[in-house]
Amino acid sequence: MINFKKALPLIFLFLSSLLPAQQNRVSDSVAIRAAEELRWGVISFHQGLFNKAILSLEKSLALDAGNDLTRFWLGRSYYQSGFEEAALNEWENLISGGKAGSTLLSFVEIITDRRGLARELKSSGQLVELFEIPREQAGINYYDRPVSVAASPQRDGSFYLLSYLNGNLIRITTTGRIHHVLAGGLLGFDRPWDIAFLPENKLIISEYGADQLSVCNPEGFRIQTIGSKGTAPGELLGPQYMAVSEDGYIYVSEWGNRRISKFNLEGEFILSFGERRTDYSGLSGPSGIALRNNSVYVADSKNGRIEVFDKSGNYLKPLIRDGLKSPEGLLFTSDSSLLIADAGRIMVYNLENDVLSVSSDLGGKGKRILSICQDENGNIISADFDNNSVSVMTDVSTLYAGLFLRINRIVTDEYPQVHVDFTVEDRWGKPVVGLDKLNFFIREKDRNVENFEISYTGYNNRDLSLAVVVDKSSRLQSSDEIMRDGVRELFRHLNPGDDRYLIGAMDAPQLLAEPGDNTLDALVRMMDGWSPTSDVASGLRLGASYLLPGRKRKAMVFLTDGNIHRDTFIQYGLQDMAQYMKNNGISFFPVYLDAELRNEELDYIARETGGTSQYLFQPRGILPLLEQVRSDVNGFYTLTYDSLAYSDFGRAYIPLSLEVNFVKKSGRDEMGFYAPLEY
């Protein structure tokens, strides 16, 4: 028989020996569950399912509270969801524990600056040179005596340069490389002086030597001429600087006739002004022209003054009487700031403070700067005729501020081919466009990726994803037909490559239609049904969720009378809603049924996201809204490469870093992904 009293100590000893193994098995099980939740969180993030990502990552962190990678991803998921305060709290835990690298520190610093007052203090008015455009590239002398520079209307960061002596019109990328050369057709340009842009992608060149204006197609071939040599009304003598107004008029300064002539887009002469009159001494050396708020600003290079006229040519006042040497090219960089090409320097005049100061003298090497322009990246380009040089400059406050590169998602559906969607902005949120493969450096795990391509650029793509959210509160039932007409008008102007979503903001918001659903009339019929109340905030977030995964330009329209409940933005805060859209590249447009009604909260979201408030029945309808979205500057890029990393059949986390370098500025982001599971 067994003596249990004697065996009992041995039994306890045996059972206690099993505890560590049992504890290890429990610990291993918890670690496996935490790793699996992390994997699902990362996958959900890259699919644009940020709520699911947050739930999985919070579960993972509850199982493994010390996992720094999980905490990083939870912060990114909060950030993309618009909950920036929560994101910063997660990252602050890493920073305070010494677990944050330089990339995360920079990311947090920029976000914090954007949220504070620093975003209002970004311009110093002082320019510093970044680089010169070499006259000779690949053994070809492209320009000789640069006379005019103008930002491209394509809004891709490029600009046009006119060469006085060889007559070339050159398009140059934002990185300083020659894009292509236009020569004006077989006859070329005769001493060209200035370039401006007309509707329908046309160019207009003032030809000082031929005493005419030449209208050209996008390829630079002359299709029409305006004016001929002479002193009579409508004739030209030494045409130089030009400006084109939004209402379709061309203003040109004539050096020989000492006046400004005005033509319509068909080339018909309208009037001339600036000549001596009883109440005005007249222009002695008319040169640069700029338009602002229905006024025409003209530089008088001989008198060293800036004069102001109305659009009918009536003299209004002198803007600047003293402090200028020989002003020529003019450029408004904002409503209150005027840049002036003045001999060998660039002056800046603040219209609000009536202060004139030197913005740049190009390090003392400037001689005779004739023209200045601002590209879409905010850089200032100058053409120095006597120094035979073209310089690219930036505000000194941005020189060391760096760039903000943010990886939005990593797509692995075609693994081992990987697509990295990302945006590039300056420190204050302005998109950076026109970059190419040479501006980027990518690293996967422990190796550099050499063979990659920039497969998509947002600034070259005009396709649109549009979500229309309709306020379905029963108080608006009497406006049913009006709202249907508004939806019909919006969808009617979409292009074949566009996506459309229709969301009803009811007490329980729902998707009414998505891409491919029926005809336009059938789609509008889906707007049936009303609700005593409407959950506007949830409706807006639902609409945004359908726009998140794609690469197309994103816009949301909210049709409403503006009379939303005062507690609308309680569950989802107003700032959180604005950041949710902004951080995901969605422009918001409240469209009101009444011209007199507005809602401050909706208008705030519009301002923060780059949208505007609209009235449904404005003269051109809602069409300008779509035009704005298609033409807005877009800093979205996609980089594509083939992964060589070991994926462990989809279970291994693959870290990735991406860096951008652009004329003395750089930015970096770090992320990672999981390959698809292999069974």
Side-chain angles (χ1 to χ4, degrees):
M1 293 181 64
I2 299 174
N3 189 331
F4 283 99
K5 288 185 177 180
K6 291 183 178 179
L8 197 57
L10 296 175
I11 294 172
F12 277 120
L13 181 64
F14 172 74
L15 291 175
S16 62
S17 70
L18 297 178
L19 285 177
Q22 179 66 23
Q23 289 171 346
N24 286 338
R25 281 197 295 273
V26 172
S27 177
D28 290 344
S29 173
V30 170
I32 290 172
R33 287 166 55 201
E36 186 65 11
E37 292 293 352
L38 170 61
R39 190 176 73 86
W40 278 115
V42 172
I43 291 172
S44 298
F45 179 96
H46 290 314
Q47 292 175 341
L49 304 173
F50 301 129
N51 288 340
K52 288 186 177 181
I54 290 171
L55 289 174
S56 291
L57 293 166
E58 286 178 340
K59 288 179 183 178
S60 179
L61 207 56
L63 295 167
D64 184 5
N67 192 311
D68 299 335
L69 182 61
T70 304
R71 195 172 295 279
F72 162 80
W73 272 102
L74 182 57
R76 286 300 284 257
S77 300
Y78 281 142
Y79 175 79
Q80 290 299 139
S81 295
F83 306 127
E84 288 192 355
E85 195 67 42
L88 291 171
N89 288 337
E90 294 298 332
W91 293 329
E92 184 56 39
N93 285 330
L94 296 176
I95 294 172
S96 60
K99 304 294 183 63
S102 59
T103 301
L104 180 57
L105 289 171
S106 176
F107 199 96
V108 170
E109 180 185 324
I110 290 175
I111 291 172
T112 303
D113 281 352
R114 288 184 178 183
R115 287 163 58 87
L117 293 176
R119 65 177 181 173
E120 307 298 333
L121 307 172
K122 49 189 178 180
S123 178
S124 70
Q126 301 301 304
L127 297 173
V128 60
E129 186 177 41
L130 294 173
F131 61 93
E132 279 191 17
I133 305 296
R135 289 193 299 278
E136 184 177 304
Q137 297 189 31
I140 301 174
N141 187 20
Y142 282 101
Y143 70 84
D144 195 0
R145 298 290 181 171
V147 69
S148 179
V149 286
S152 169
Q154 281 79 22
R155 309 196 71 181
D156 58 0
S158 66
F159 66 93
Y160 286 83
L161 165 65
L162 263 179
S163 176
Y164 184 74
L165 290 185
N166 63 16
N168 281 343
L169 172 60
I170 310 158
R171 186 175 173 189
I172 301 174
T173 69
T174 192
T175 57
R177 289 184 281 276
I178 303 297
H179 187 282
H180 62 267
V181 179
L182 310 174
L186 296 176
L187 299 178
F189 299 118
D190 187 357
R191 298 295 187 267
W193 193 274
D194 198 12
I195 176 176
F197 302 99
L198 303 177
E200 301 176 357
N201 295 321
K202 295 177 183 177
L203 316 171
I204 184 166
I205 309 291
S206 61
E207 296 187 69
Y208 185 85
D211 295 307
Q212 65 182 17
L213 309 181
S214 290
V215 178
C216 305
N217 63 17
E219 287 71 42
F221 289 94
R222 188 183 289 106
I223 56 178
Q224 178 189 359
T225 60
I226 298 174
S228 59
K229 184 174 183 177
T231 60
E235 295 181 333
L236 301 172
L237 198 59
Q240 292 188 331
Y241 295 90
M242 294 182 297
V244 179
S245 65
E246 292 183 356
D247 56 353
Y249 292 99
I250 303 163
Y251 298 83
V252 56
S253 63
E254 300 180 60
W255 184 258
N257 285 328
R258 298 184 183 182
R259 67 188 182 192
I260 308 298
S261 286
K262 179 179 179 179
F263 299 86
N264 63 20
L265 295 181
E266 287 70 43
E268 298 170 337
F269 174 73
I270 304 299
L271 56 85
S272 62
F273 57 91
E275 298 166 297
R276 180 185 294 273
R277 294 180 181 176
T278 55
D279 59 341
Y280 175 58
S281 60
L283 296 167
S284 297
S287 51
I289 306 175
L291 306 176
R292 172 182 174 269
N293 295 342
N294 295 316
S295 294
V296 183
Y297 294 75
V298 180
D300 191 328
S301 60
K302 284 191 174 181
N303 288 336
R305 298 171 69 168
I306 308 295
E307 309 281 22
V308 186
F309 302 82
D310 66 19
K311 287 189 173 183
S312 298
N314 300 303
Y315 179 69
L316 298 179
K317 63 179 181 179
L319 181 69
I320 302 175
R321 296 175 180 268
D322 303 304
L324 298 175
K325 298 177 181 178
S326 180
E328 300 205 53
L330 302 178
L331 173 70
F332 278 106
T333 56
S334 69
D335 281 342
S336 61
S337 184
L338 175 66
L339 288 184
I340 306 162
D342 184 39
R345 58 188 184 169
I346 297 174
M347 306 294 290
V348 58
Y349 177 73
N350 189 301
L351 279 74
E352 292 179 350
N353 302 328
D354 189 27
V355 174
L356 178 69
S357 58
V358 177
S359 183
S360 175
D361 65 354
L362 292 171
K365 65 182 181 180
K367 292 183 178 179
R368 188 189 174 196
I369 301 171
L370 295 183
S371 177
I372 44 180
C373 74
Q374 184 174 39
D375 70 14
E376 288 298 336
N377 292 326
N379 296 321
I380 301 297
I381 300 103
S382 67
D384 192 324
F385 186 84
D386 286 359
N387 199 41
N388 210 9
S389 63
V390 177
S391 297
V392 178
M393 294 166 282
T394 189
D395 192 288
V396 68
S397 66
T398 70
L399 185 59
Y400 303 107
L403 299 175
F404 186 55
L405 186 152
R406 185 181 73 243
I407 298 174
N408 300 314
R409 68 170 182 160
I410 301 172
V411 183
T412 59
D413 296 345
E414 302 171 336
Y415 192 81
Q417 189 174 77
V418 177
H419 305 281
V420 184
D421 292 346
F422 62 98
T423 53
V424 183
E425 301 169 340
D426 69 11
R427 190 177 187 88
W428 315 111
K430 180 178 175 59
V432 176
V433 299
L435 304 180
D436 57 34
K437 179 179 178 179
L438 297 178
N439 294 111
F440 298 103
F441 176 81
I442 185 171
R443 186 174 177 85
E444 184 189 70
K445 253 185 177 177
D446 297 323
R447 73 176 187 93
N448 299 335
V449 177
E450 304 294 344
N451 297 319
F452 66 87
E453 298 296 332
I454 302 298
S455 53
Y456 183 91
T457 53
Y459 59 85
N460 279 328
N461 193 295
R462 299 292 183 264
D463 289 341
L464 174 66
S465 286
L466 176 68
V468 178
V469 181
V470 182
D471 192 339
K472 296 295 290 179
S473 172
S474 55
R475 74 176 187 279
L476 291 173
Q477 194 164 357
S478 60
S479 301
D480 180 48
E481 283 304 317
I482 293 174
M483 299 179 80
R484 290 176 189 267
D485 287 344
V487 171
R488 187 179 290 106
E489 181 73 5
L490 275 167
F491 288 167
R492 186 172 65 85
H493 284 102
L494 293 181
N495 296 333
D498 296 336
D499 295 330
R500 63 189 185 188
Y501 301 89
L502 182 62
I503 289 90
M506 308 177 185
D507 51 2
Q510 57 184 283
L511 176 68
L512 303 179
E514 57 187 318
D517 278 356
N518 302 308
T519 64
L520 181 57
D521 287 337
L523 186 150
V524 173
R525 284 198 297 273
M526 295 177 185
M527 292 175 60
D528 293 339
W530 298 89
S531 174
T533 60
S534 57
D535 186 350
V536 171
S538 296
L540 298 183
R541 289 190 76 92
L542 178 64
S545 69
Y546 287 102
L547 302 178
L548 295 182
R551 298 187 175 103
K552 299 176 182 179
R553 294 168 180 261
K554 303 175 179 67
M556 182 187 299
V557 171
F558 180 41
L559 280 173
T560 180
D561 62 353
N563 187 24
I564 62 176
H565 196 276
R566 63 178 180 274
D567 294 334
T568 293
F569 296 106
I570 294 297
Q571 181 181 1
Y572 301 109
L574 179 62
Q575 187 174 13
D576 294 338
M577 183 70 74
Q579 292 302 327
Y580 178 49
M581 295 188 194
K582 185 176 181 179
N583 294 348
N584 291 287
I586 300 171
S587 301
F588 178 66
F589 298 84
V591 175
Y592 297 101
L593 306 181
D594 190 321
E596 303 301 321
L597 293 179
R598 290 289 185 272
N599 181 277
E600 291 183 1
E601 293 175 315
L602 297 176
D603 291 351
Y604 168 80
I605 299 174
R607 289 193 304 272
E608 288 293 303
T609 60
T612 55
S613 302
Q614 307 271 341
Y615 169 49
L616 182 60
F617 299 107
Q618 57 195 3
R620 294 186 61 211
I622 316 178
L623 181 59
L625 182 156
L626 299 178
E627 292 174 346
Q628 177 183 336
V629 177
R630 295 190 196 281
S631 64
D632 275 347
V633 182
N634 188 304
F636 188 99
Y637 299 80
T638 298
L639 180 152
T640 300
Y641 73 98
D642 289 329
S643 175
L644 296 177
Y646 174 63
S647 69
D648 190 20
F649 304 100
R651 294 177 177 84
Y653 179 78
I654 302 173
L656 179 146
S657 65
L658 181 60
E659 185 173 337
V660 58
N661 291 281
F662 175 50
V663 289
K664 301 181 181 180
K665 304 176 187 178
S666 64
R668 177 185 171 92
D669 196 11
E670 295 175 352
M671 256 200 180
F673 63 94
Y674 291 90
L677 280 173
E678 299 178 39
Y679 299 98

